[in-house]
Amino acid sequence: MRSLPLPTVWAGDPVHFLGMDAYYHMRRVLYGLERFPASLGFDPYINFPDGAKAIWPPLFDVVATWVALPFYAVGGVESAERALVWLPPIFGALTVVALYFLALRFLGFSIALAAGLVLSVLSAHFWYSQVGFLDHHAAVALATTSLLWAAMELMRRLDSGAPFPRGATLALGCAFAAN
């Protein structure tokens, strides 16, 4: 379902990303690919003529750069772009799977199945995890689901009277940092 825009995205050369933010993310990724391992922090193209720092942190673009690096090494920019159009659907699918297993662990099979089905067709989740929509929103949904899981696991362990769980606390801190 999330690959329906593929004929539009791959209509000719270069790749046609969905949404304006996707092009800026790709600019930051290409900067990282060409100057690896550097990332674009200060951008002279923003707030012309002075330049400025991008409004969002670089984690998504750094992850996308790492994903694109082998494709870039083999086939250049076109290969990297064609690979990165699949990043949002992968993040979206991982979010559905994570939500299913989170609900299965804490709420039972029927709620897990319903949660996974609803999220898989939810309009906003579908929109931001389409092929070619290279933006950070699908990654944020996955990080938030991970954060929810870590928080629920922490509360379950504390409620059971178990000693303070260092692993769950570390996971919760990492999820907070990623968001």
Side-chain angles (χ1 to χ4, degrees):
M1 194 166 75
R2 283 161 174 73
S3 65
L4 290 175
L6 191 59
T8 304
V9 172
W10 280 0
D13 186 39
V15 168
H16 300 282
F17 291 101
L18 303 177
M20 297 308 296
D21 286 355
Y23 287 97
Y24 190 69
H25 281 290
M26 195 62 214
R27 169 176 161 60
R28 291 178 76 175
V29 169
L30 288 175
Y31 182 94
L33 290 172
E34 292 169 359
R35 294 164 182 84
F36 189 79
S39 63
L40 182 61
F42 181 84
D43 192 345
Y45 288 5
I46 300 175
N47 192 34
F48 182 81
D50 300 321
K53 193 173 180 182
I55 60 171
W56 54 75
L59 180 61
F60 174 77
D61 301 314
V62 169
V63 169
T65 301
W66 278 90
V67 169
L69 194 60
F71 298 96
Y72 180 75
V74 171
V77 172
E78 181 181 329
S79 180
E81 287 179 340
R82 290 189 176 270
L84 285 178
V85 299
W86 294 102
L87 196 57
I90 290 169
F91 279 136
L94 289 173
T95 304
V96 170
V97 170
L99 179 64
Y100 170 80
F101 283 112
L102 178 151
L104 185 64
R105 176 166 177 78
F106 295 102
L107 303 169
F109 174 73
S110 58
I111 293 175
L113 186 62
L117 288 173
V118 167
L119 185 60
S120 68
V121 296
L122 191 66
S123 176
H125 188 68
F126 168 77
W127 179 257
Y128 288 117
S129 63
Q130 291 181 83
V131 67
F133 204 104
L134 187 65
D135 206 344
H136 60 277
H137 298 290
V140 168
L142 179 59
T144 303
T145 304
S146 302
L147 174 62
L148 176 62
W149 191 324
M152 290 177 74
E153 184 65 31
L154 179 62
M155 292 299 107
R156 184 188 67 79
R157 289 187 183 181
L158 290 176
D159 191 42
S160 71
F164 196 73
R166 287 189 172 93
T169 305
L170 179 63
L172 184 60
C174 289
F176 269 123
N179 273 324

